[in-house]
Amino acid sequence: MVTPAVKREAVAHLKALLGLSERRACRIAGVDRKTVRYRSQRAPDTALRGRLRDLANERRRFGYRRLFVLLHREGEPSGINRIYRLYREEGLTVRKRRARRKAIGTRAPILIEARANARWSLDFVHDQFACGRRFRILNIVDDVTRECLAAIPDTSISGRRVARELTALIERRGRPGMIVSDNGTELTSNAILKWCAENRIEWHYIAPGKPMQNGFVESFNGRMRDEFLNETLFRNLVHARDQIDAWVSDYNTTRPHSSLGYQTPAGFALNMINAIARLAARDDSSARRAIAQRQSA
């Protein structure tokens, strides 16, 4: 018996089963009589409990941490410990599912606008140093131009690190219309959920076990593995960063990409920008001519 609630139950049990007095039952259970007679003055939290139940019913696979983030976005000042207590008292604990295959129906493809930064894809690829120590690389790819926007190697990359790297990339390149990734723990963490809410960026998660839904970055990972990682022996992290930066620069500016008509990703992106600018100029000139003709008529 550790908590006061359990001790009160023990005293009540002794009184009901053996007919002992409260004084005798408290002495046997080792409980102060003030503890037994105490009545909680805590507020019932009716509104908060109701909102917590509503969110849990709406997002049935969210645990208390993610529900806490959603409540925090709505302005709820309660801490995570209070939310966890109410979460347990309301019986909202998520049950683990047994692994089984089931049909999920037909998924509609996500349409991408033909412009840079329309959609980014993220994924991790793993390798090891010459000493045998493993490291991982966070790859970020533009799905339209096929450019590798970043390839960050490190021995450990957390969700907070991913958020910082994305913030720095947006400052250099601009905001993406959408980000696509798998359901890895780093990419579904509270840090990423909070980052998406603060930056108002849509984040799409592919179906579990369906890497083909993130095919652009998976294809890039295959090219990196085949053409670079399997051909290079990395001495340490500094050497890996230098080699990866050089390979990414070569991939974007030199290597011809078959799906781009064997243009380089950087060259394709530049041609796209120029084509959009020419189209905008042509539309503007056409509009001016139409206005001039109406005025002359």
Side-chain angles (χ1 to χ4, degrees):
M1 296 183 298
V2 179
T3 64
V6 175
K7 293 179 179 179
R8 282 193 287 269
E9 292 178 1
V11 171
H13 176 74
L14 291 174
K15 291 171 62 177
L17 184 65
L18 303 179
L20 301 179
S21 64
E22 181 183 276
R23 187 187 304 274
R24 181 76 180 276
C26 289
R27 186 181 302 114
I28 294 174
V31 187
D32 191 279
R33 296 178 67 188
K34 294 180 180 179
T35 302
V36 175
R37 294 181 177 182
Y38 174 78
R39 295 295 177 263
S40 176
Q41 302 299 318
R42 180 181 292 162
D45 300 321
T46 305
L48 179 57
R49 289 175 184 268
R51 183 54 184 158
L52 185 61
R53 285 196 302 269
D54 292 341
L55 287 175
N57 292 329
E58 179 183 347
R59 301 177 179 272
R60 293 179 298 173
R61 303 308 299 175
F62 273 22
Y64 74 94
R65 291 184 177 87
R66 288 188 175 85
L67 295 176
F68 166 73
V69 172
L70 297 179
L71 289 171
H72 187 68
R73 292 177 187 172
E74 297 177 357
E76 173 58 45
S78 301
I80 192 170
N81 291 334
R82 184 185 184 191
I83 299 302
Y84 176 68
R85 175 177 59 81
L86 299 179
Y87 176 84
R88 292 293 301 272
E89 291 177 0
E90 293 296 322
L92 302 176
T93 305
V94 177
R95 296 182 180 179
K96 292 185 179 179
R97 293 174 175 172
R98 293 183 179 179
R100 60 179 180 179
R101 299 178 64 88
K102 61 180 180 179
I104 58 175
T106 303
R107 285 182 173 266
I110 301 176
L111 300 179
I112 310 175
E113 186 180 355
R115 63 175 179 82
N117 290 346
R119 190 174 78 181
W120 294 356
S121 295
L122 277 71
D123 199 12
F124 289 93
V125 64
H126 298 77
D127 206 272
Q128 62 183 15
F129 301 121
C131 62
R133 185 182 183 186
R134 297 184 62 82
F135 70 98
R136 59 197 326 209
I137 306 169
L138 172 63
N139 288 329
I140 307 175
V141 176
D142 189 311
D143 291 353
V144 176
T145 66
R146 305 297 200 275
E147 295 173 279
C148 177
L149 307 181
I152 301 103
D154 211 329
T155 54
S156 177
I157 301 178
S158 64
R160 293 182 179 179
R161 172 74 181 280
V162 174
R164 291 198 303 269
E165 296 293 347
L166 288 173
T167 300
L169 182 58
I170 289 174
E171 292 175 355
R172 298 195 306 268
R173 185 179 175 88
R175 292 165 53 87
M178 176 187 293
I179 295 178
V180 180
S181 75
D182 58 19
N183 296 269
T185 55
E186 301 86 358
L187 305 178
T188 57
S189 63
N190 289 331
I192 293 299
L193 292 176
K194 181 179 179 181
W195 182 85
C196 289
E198 292 175 350
N199 292 273
R200 298 181 180 179
I201 293 178
E202 180 181 0
W203 195 297
H204 175 76
Y205 293 103
I206 65 174
K210 300 291 183 180
M212 67 287 294
Q213 295 180 5
N214 202 16
F216 294 103
V217 72
E218 291 289 347
S219 176
F220 174 81
N221 289 346
R223 301 288 76 75
M224 172 181 272
R225 173 71 63 189
D226 182 57
E227 300 174 8
F228 175 61
L229 296 180
N230 290 346
E231 303 295 324
T232 309
L233 187 64
F234 302 105
R235 296 190 298 270
N236 48 45
L237 186 57
V238 175
H239 180 240
R241 286 172 176 165
D242 293 338
Q243 294 294 313
I244 290 172
D245 288 342
W247 185 83
V248 168
S249 177
D250 179 79
Y251 180 89
N252 288 332
T253 60
T254 304
R255 180 187 181 277
H257 203 294
S258 59
S259 66
L260 302 178
Y262 292 97
Q263 301 180 69
T264 63
F268 179 80
L270 181 60
N271 293 337
M272 179 181 293
I273 294 173
N274 293 335
I276 294 174
R278 289 194 299 268
L279 182 61
R282 186 172 59 188
D283 293 341
D284 184 61
S285 61
S286 299
R288 290 180 180 178
R289 286 197 301 269
I291 292 173
Q293 290 174 359
R294 287 198 297 269
Q295 290 176 350
S296 61

